[in-house]
């Protein structure tokens, strides 16, 4: 995905019009008032955030709930949705933290986190991993000093390469959602849907064979790094395939597999060609299918003055059977 940050590269495409939903000011005000009330309740009673988020479902705009349900059942042209105007721009937003694990957050940030959890619930059950951001259910995605060149959400001056969330495990999320508290001009969140891959059939056949290993990325602290099992990159029906890929996290099961390496190079180029980009702005919520798209981010220069890009992220398990099989845990591992 590095080429997308280059000055001579053509700009990525946009989401389909049907994938962009807008809410009215009155709908936003109603939803935000309920979210602020829930955030106050959480501070008073230390309530379960998912239970509080469930109480916000009736406050969400009906067209948004319907769209999320349809997205879960049928997908969308690019297997992503952009919700605009669902969250207002808080005038009293505090400074962007300098860490992805801040010790405390303001009520407006807690309200935004509960709203994001509420938007995740029509898609399934929110969860995370104990090895990721201290097992926090809602994670902070922001630039961190000293982490600029890493392949994590804390990076900035390095492009975040194509990847799925937690491709090293089949327990990875089915969907993830990003809520923008603060944006950065020109910093694009980029997606590439597997259903639009322009690949030679011979490369597809190679990518559908279990010739690859995926390992945890640097964001995981203490994750199991024992010998992974070889897996395919592409699975599922040809018309709507699933993809499990990370440019920095995938390795050849056989280091001498030149054909497998060539197919990976062809895949990266095809993902670049199919890129869809969006500059997240305050109040935007981007929802993506983690099984059918890969994503990344272009570069930006952090200021570290409290006004930097700041997103919240949730991950969702769409299968209630899988969620129960895991013990209905909110943090796996």
């Amino acid at each position: 995905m590095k080429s997308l940050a280059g000055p001579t590269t053509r700009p990525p495409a946009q989401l389909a019009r049907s994938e962009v939903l807008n809410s009215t000011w009155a709908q936003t005000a109603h939803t935000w008032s309920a979210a602020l009330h829930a955030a106050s309740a959480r501070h008073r009673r230390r309530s379960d955030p998912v239970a509080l988020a469930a109480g916000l479902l009736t406050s969400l705009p009906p067209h948004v709930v319907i769209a999320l349900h349809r997205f879960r059942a049928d997908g969308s042209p690019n297997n992503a949705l952009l919700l605009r105007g669902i969250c207002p721009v808080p005038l009293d937003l505090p400074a962007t933290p300098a860490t992805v694990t801040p010790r405390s957050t303001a009520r407006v940030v807690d309200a935004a986190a509960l709203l994001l959890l509420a938007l995740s619930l029509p898609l399934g059950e929110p969860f995370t991993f104990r090895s990721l951001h201290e097992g926090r259910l809602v994670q902070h995605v922001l630039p961190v000093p000293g982490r600029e060149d890493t392949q994590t959400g804390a990076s900035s001056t390095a492009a975040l390469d194509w990847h799925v969330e937690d491709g090293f495990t089949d327990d990875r999320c089915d969907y993830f959602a990003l809520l923008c508290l603060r944006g950065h001009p020109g910093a694009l969140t980029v997606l590439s849907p597997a259903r639009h891959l322009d690949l030679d059939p011979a490369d597809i056949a190679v990518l559908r064979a279990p010739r690859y290993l995926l390992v945890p990325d640097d964001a995981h602290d203490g994750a199991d790094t024992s010998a992974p099992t070889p897996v395919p990159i592409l699975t599922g029906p040809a018309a709507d395939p699933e993809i499990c890929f990370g440019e920095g996290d995938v390795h050849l099961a056989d280091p001498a597999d030149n054909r497998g390496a060539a197919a990976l190079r062809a895949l990266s180029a095809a993902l670049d060609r199919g890129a869809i980009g969006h500059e997240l702005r305050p109040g935007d919520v981007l929802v993506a299918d983690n099984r059918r798209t890969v994503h990344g981010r272009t570069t930006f220069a952090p200021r570290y003055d409290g006004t930097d890009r700041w997103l919240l992220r949730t991950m969702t398990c769409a299968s209630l059977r899988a969620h129960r099989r895991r013990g209905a845990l909110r943090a796996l591992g």
Side-chain angles (χ1 to χ4, degrees):
M1 203 273 293
K2 297 179 180 66
S3 63
L4 293 180
T8 61
T9 306
R10 65 176 177 83
Q14 302 296 306
L15 291 171
R17 184 175 299 179
S18 62
E19 294 175 316
V20 181
L21 284 79
N22 293 284
S23 296
T24 67
W25 180 89
Q27 289 170 327
T28 299
H30 176 67
T31 300
W32 187 241
S33 176
L36 287 171
H37 181 76
S40 296
R42 186 184 182 197
H43 276 285
R44 289 195 306 270
R45 300 194 296 266
R46 296 293 177 184
S47 302
D48 173 19
V50 177
L52 286 173
L56 296 177
L57 286 172
T58 56
S59 300
L60 297 178
H63 75 284
V64 170
V65 177
I66 292 169
L68 289 167
H69 173 75
R70 287 177 176 166
F71 181 64
R72 178 181 179 179
D74 302 325
S76 70
N78 296 292
N79 284 315
L81 287 179
L82 176 63
L83 311 179
R84 280 185 162 155
I86 189 69
C87 178
V89 181
L91 298 178
D92 52 348
L93 186 66
T96 301
T99 172
V100 295
T101 53
R103 290 299 96 194
S104 62
T105 51
R107 186 174 74 127
V108 291
V109 179
D110 290 343
L114 290 172
L115 174 56
L116 187 58
L117 283 172
L119 291 167
S120 300
L121 285 172
L123 299 172
E125 289 296 316
F127 79 101
T128 187
F129 294 90
R130 296 188 194 282
S131 58
L132 188 64
H133 292 207
E134 299 179 345
R136 298 184 183 204
L137 201 55
V138 179
Q139 295 120 37
H140 297 261
V141 180
L142 47 86
V144 173
R147 304 285 288 170
E148 292 88 350
D149 295 327
T150 63
Q151 283 300 306
T152 71
S155 67
S156 51
T157 55
L160 192 55
D161 291 340
W162 292 124
H163 65 286
V164 301
E165 296 296 340
D166 311 308
F168 69 96
T169 172
D170 197 47
D171 284 335
R172 63 189 176 277
C173 65
D174 298 299
Y175 302 99
F176 68 89
L178 299 170
L179 185 153
C180 181
L181 293 172
R182 280 197 179 98
H184 189 106
L188 300 182
T189 297
V190 286
L191 301 168
S192 197
R195 63 167 31 157
H196 298 323
L197 283 172
D198 175 22
L199 278 172
D200 187 282
D203 287 322
I204 292 176
V206 173
L207 294 167
R208 283 182 171 272
R211 303 164 76 142
Y212 304 97
L213 306 173
L214 280 100
V215 298
D217 63 44
D218 293 339
H220 282 269
D221 183 18
D224 183 7
T225 57
S226 57
T229 302
V231 296
I233 300 297
L234 298 176
T235 56
D240 194 20
E242 296 187 12
I243 184 169
C244 185
F245 179 63
E247 283 185 304
D249 308 324
V250 65
H251 305 280
L252 296 167
D254 177 3
D257 183 3
N258 294 329
R259 187 64 189 87
L264 283 181
R265 291 192 294 271
L267 174 62
S268 289
L271 292 171
D272 284 357
R273 291 193 298 272
I276 295 167
H278 176 68
E279 181 185 310
L280 286 167
R281 297 175 182 175
D284 283 354
V285 175
L286 180 67
V287 182
D289 188 324
N290 192 52
R291 302 275 175 167
R292 294 177 175 85
T293 67
V294 296
H295 63 284
R297 191 214 63 244
T298 62
T299 62
F300 67 98
R303 296 174 292 268
Y304 300 133
D305 62 355
T307 66
D308 277 320
R309 186 175 187 263
W310 185 5
L311 313 180
L312 300 179
R313 179 181 63 191
T314 55
M315 303 188 295
T316 306
C317 173
S319 169
L320 290 178
R321 179 177 296 175
H323 180 67
R324 292 286 293 273
R325 189 172 61 241
R326 298 168 182 170
L329 295 173
R330 294 295 180 200
L332 303 182

